[in-house]
């Protein structure tokens, strides 16, 4: 029997290493590649215009690649559980394929879609290709528990062997007996959305430094893989958070959207490492992919992973509620130029170096402002091109010393850390140009400059640029004591539970109200 297949693109916006797509093409006479603009996402998470643009570009590139195979991408608007029954009947579908996604909403959604497919007598094929390994299998290998240290994860993966090799991209040969029916009004009914349709103003987008799409991803991968010595010597802690040009690959947005397969990246690195001296995990490029695997595994197995309450691995901390300080941090107005330059780069460009993320995350939470990591997580969720549910939650817990990392007394200085790699403050001058005339000795601490120097620089502190919102030397010491108290409470609670005491259950999640873009996604574009 020849199948009528739907392949459902979600994160894996690519043709290369897409086993679920190849499964859809096997014994198939009609193929419908679809992407669903699901209103759940804008209802439940913040998405910047920069990330919407990246998605639109990725979909456009995917459609162009499919056209080279005499196929097309069908972009469908609406809730998947409402959309699929209609498509199943209209297209007389017999098979549905998609890549496994381990996020909580995705699992719930996919379970319901599989149930609907069964009701219609449709075969469902799900494949692992968003991660290097099957996260459920990794947890099973650890006796059903999530590995809570990087070393433990490495031990488990060593027992499982290397990741599967990527599968080839489909060719015209794969589709020689298969067609994709397209009507004359295809673009009107199933076309790529515009930013305007998504409720976004293109004029508000930042510079297009990282164009979306598989084609761009593979070009960038080739560019970096040609730097053999750089790849072999790569050590993440040795890269610069404030270099004027990125000191890392910036492939993370492409991996987040699945424009680049993580397995393809892994095996390209393995080929380069073969027979050469090279750095090793956790600091190597392989190590960075394993960090991704670590947090994906944690996110797949830990309840309420993106929350403090109800999260069994997260220290319960009495964070302050200070909307004014939160806004100052998110808008780059803390009075600390290094922190503000990073947040300005994030807001305008959609990407910042991982060590820069360390600096601003520590500043917001345990270092200076004592504001919950959940608030920072929301800001990163909105502004980062590579915002990824598991990695975002995991890194914020790590950097706030709420989980995984517990040396809370180690605090990033908002002054000294940036000076290590950029004494002259060139990075600050780029993103905060109103400070560019300050002498190097004052550019990280402009409030210490004499009034005459400030006036000569054309920027008076307290008038043209804010004074520091807190005194780092004072609050950081106080916050160490507050963190020490939070850890003591956790220890006491654990002791009580061992002696027969019970813990409180986590609070139920609240669903935030969504912007109008969610409603727009339920409507078809005008013809």
């Amino acid at each position: 029997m020849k199948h009528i297949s739907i392949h459902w693109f979600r994160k894996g916006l690519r043709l290369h290493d897409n086993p679920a797509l190849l499964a859809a093409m096997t014994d198939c006479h009609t193929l419908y590649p679809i992407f669903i603009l699901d209103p759940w996402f804008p209802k439940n998470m913040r998405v910047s215009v920069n990330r919407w643009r990246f998605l639109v570009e990725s979909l456009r590139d995917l459609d162009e690649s499919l056209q080279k195979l005499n196929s097309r991408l069908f972009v469908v608007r609406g809730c998947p559980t409402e959309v699929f029954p209609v498509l199943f009947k209209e297209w007389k579908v017999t098979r549905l394929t998609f890549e496994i996604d381990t996020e909580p909403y995705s699992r719930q959604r996919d379970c319901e879609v599989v149930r609907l497919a069964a009701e219609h007598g449709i075969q469902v094929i799900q494949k692992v290709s968003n991660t290097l390994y099957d996260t459920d299998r990794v947890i099973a290998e650890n006796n059903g528990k999530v590995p809570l240290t990087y070393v433990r994860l490495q031990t488990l993966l060593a027992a499982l062997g290397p990741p599967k090799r990527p599968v080839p991209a489909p060719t015209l040969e794969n589709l020689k007996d298969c067609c994709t029916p397209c009507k004359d009004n295809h673009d009107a009914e199933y076309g790529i959305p515009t930013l305007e349709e998504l409720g976004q103003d293109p004029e508000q987008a930042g510079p297009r430094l990282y164009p979306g799409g598989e084609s761009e991803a593979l070009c960038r991968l080739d560019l970096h893989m040609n730097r053999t010595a750089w790849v072999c010597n790569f050590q993440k802690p040795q890269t610069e958070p404030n270099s004027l040009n990125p000191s890392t690959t910036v492939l993370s947005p492409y991996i987040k959207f699945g424009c680049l397969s993580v397995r393809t990246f892994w095996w390209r690195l393995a080929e380069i490492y073969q027979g050469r001296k090279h750095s090793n995990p956790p600091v190597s490029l392989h190590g960075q992919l394993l960090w991704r695997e670590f947090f994906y595994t944690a996110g797949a197995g830990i309840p309420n992973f993106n929350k403090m309450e109800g999260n069994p691995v997260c220290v319960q901390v009495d964070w302050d509620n200070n909307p004014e300080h939160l806004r100052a941090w998110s808008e780059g107005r803390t009075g600390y130029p290094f922190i503000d330059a990073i947040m300005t780069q994030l807001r305008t460009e959609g990407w910042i170096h991982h060590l820069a993320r360390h600096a601003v995350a520590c500043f917001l939470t345990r270092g200076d402002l004592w504001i919950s990591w959940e608030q920072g997580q929301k800001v990163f969720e909105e502004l980062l091109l590579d915002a990824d549910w598991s990695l975002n939650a995991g890194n914020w817990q790590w950097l706030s010393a709420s989980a995984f990392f517990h040396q809370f007394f180690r605090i990033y200085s908002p002054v000294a850390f940036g000076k290590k790699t950029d004494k002259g403050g060139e990075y600050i001058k780029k993103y905060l140009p109103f400070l560019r005339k300050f002498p190097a000795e004052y550019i990280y601490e402009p409030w210490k400059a004499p009034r005459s120097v400030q006036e000569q620089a054309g920027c008076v502190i307290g008038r043209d640029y804010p004074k520091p919102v807190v005194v780092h030397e004072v609050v950081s010491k106080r916050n160490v004591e507050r963190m020490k108290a939070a850890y003591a409470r956790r220890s006491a609670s654990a002791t009580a539970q061992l002696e027969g005491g019970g813990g409180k259950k986590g609070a139920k999640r609240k669903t935030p109200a969504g912007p109008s873009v969610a409603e727009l996604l339920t409507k078809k574009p005008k013809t």
Side-chain angles (χ1 to χ4, degrees), residues 239-469:
T239 58
E240 298 179 7
N242 46 7
S243 55
L244 297 185
N245 293 306
S247 58
T248 54
T249 66
V250 197
L251 289 172
S252 54
Y254 300 94
I255 295 174
K256 177 266 185 302
F257 280 95
C259 301
L260 174 62
S261 156
V262 67
R263 299 191 303 197
T264 297
F265 192 4
W266 175 277
W267 283 104
R268 287 288 298 274
L269 289 169
E271 290 170 8
I272 292 172
Y273 291 158
Q274 188 68 36
R276 295 185 175 97
K277 184 179 178 182
H278 60 83
S279 56
N280 291 299
V283 299
S284 64
L285 284 169
H286 261 180
Q288 305 317 300
L289 298 183
L290 290 180
W291 278 119
R292 179 180 186 270
E293 207 73 11
F294 176 76
F295 287 126
Y296 254 95
T297 306
I302 295 173
N304 302 307
F305 188 58
N306 66 332
K307 306 285 184 184
M308 180 179 76
E309 292 188 26
N311 181 340
V313 303
C314 186
V315 177
Q316 304 297 298
V317 179
D318 58 341
W319 302 109
D320 289 343
N321 179 24
N322 192 323
E324 186 177 331
H325 280 181
L326 177 61
R327 278 195 302 273
W329 174 83
S330 68
E331 295 171 4
R333 296 185 291 101
T334 67
Y336 285 93
F338 180 54
I339 300 299
D340 294 344
I342 294 169
M343 294 305 293
T344 301
Q345 181 187 15
L346 172 60
R347 189 166 289 276
T348 55
E349 298 177 4
W351 181 88
I352 49 177
H353 188 282
H354 192 68
L355 295 177
R357 302 180 198 200
H358 282 217
V360 295
C362 183
F363 186 89
L364 178 71
T365 57
R366 62 188 173 86
D368 294 79
L369 301 185
W370 199 254
I371 291 173
S372 170
W373 61 267
E374 290 183 53
Q375 297 300 323
Q377 178 184 234
K378 290 175 185 176
V379 174
F380 274 24
E381 176 184 89
E382 175 187 2
L383 299 178
L384 281 171
L385 292 175
D386 59 25
D388 198 314
W389 188 85
S390 298
L391 276 67
N392 197 23
N395 276 303
W396 272 101
Q397 287 172 78
W398 182 294
L399 294 169
S400 63
S402 296
F404 310 115
F405 173 80
H406 305 293
Q407 298 176 35
F408 55 81
F409 47 85
R410 293 178 58 184
I411 292 174
Y412 289 94
S413 165
V415 174
F417 185 50
K419 283 184 177 180
K420 286 181 182 179
T421 48
D422 181 23
K423 289 183 179 179
E426 298 305 315
Y427 175 82
I428 291 170
K429 293 174 186 177
K430 177 178 179 179
Y431 291 102
L432 305 179
F434 45 83
L435 295 177
R436 67 182 181 275
K437 293 184 179 178
F438 271 85
E441 63 184 299
Y442 295 121
I443 197 160
Y444 282 88
E445 301 171 284
W447 63 90
K448 290 185 176 180
R451 176 79 181 208
S452 59
V453 172
Q454 296 180 30
E455 289 177 345
Q456 192 172 357
C459 181
V460 175
I461 305 307
R463 183 190 74 191
D464 305 311
Y465 178 67
K467 296 177 180 178
V469 291

Side-chain angles (χ1 to χ4, degrees), residues 462-475:
R463 183 190 74 191
D464 305 311
Y465 178 67
K467 296 177 180 178
V469 291
V470 292
V471 178
H472 172 71
E473 293 78 9
V474 174
V475 296

